[in-house]
Amino acid sequence: EARASILSQILQPEAADRLGRIRLVKGSRATDVENRLIMLARSGQLRAKVTEDQLKELLGAVAENRERDGASGGIIVVSRRKGGWDDDDDLLDL
């Protein structure tokens, strides 16, 4: 609840809406952005409310950090077993 209060004070309504939509799709990314925003606010680096464009820039920075750290959750690795079933084996039974 304290987080929500801080975020409502530092985000313009459009930026808050965008962050809410991001939370629906990618909760961990939204949490990372919120943490960074709160840190900036507490350290006094925010002079005015964060706009939607500034939020987009921050999202880009968070995405770059995740890619650099190797924490991209979008990679799927498929390992296939060798051998196993093969349709060509049916021809040998004739």
Side-chain angles (χ1 to χ4, degrees):
E1 189 173 311
R3 290 172 64 89
S5 173
I6 292 171
L7 290 170
S8 68
Q9 292 174 7
I10 62 175
L11 290 174
Q12 287 186 351
E14 298 83 15
D17 288 345
R18 178 174 288 270
L19 190 56
R21 289 190 303 271
I22 292 166
R23 175 168 298 289
L24 292 174
V25 176
K26 201 89 162 163
S28 61
R29 180 148 313 157
T31 302
D32 289 346
V33 171
E34 288 174 358
N35 290 339
R36 189 169 291 193
L37 284 168
I38 291 170
M39 180 186 67
L40 290 171
R42 287 186 175 161
S43 65
Q45 294 180 7
L46 296 178
R47 305 274 187 255
K49 285 191 171 194
V50 176
T51 65
E52 189 173 6
D53 290 335
Q54 291 169 329
L55 183 65
K56 287 179 189 178
E57 290 176 18
L58 189 58
L59 283 164
V62 167
E64 286 177 12
N65 285 345
R66 283 185 169 233
E67 286 177 12
R68 187 182 58 207
D69 294 342
S72 62
I75 297 175
I76 297 174
V77 176
V78 177
S79 81
R80 300 176 192 247
R81 293 185 218 167
K82 298 198 179 195
W85 298 98
D86 189 5
D87 289 340
D88 292 339
D89 291 343
D90 295 339
L91 296 176
L92 298 175
D93 294 337
L94 296 175

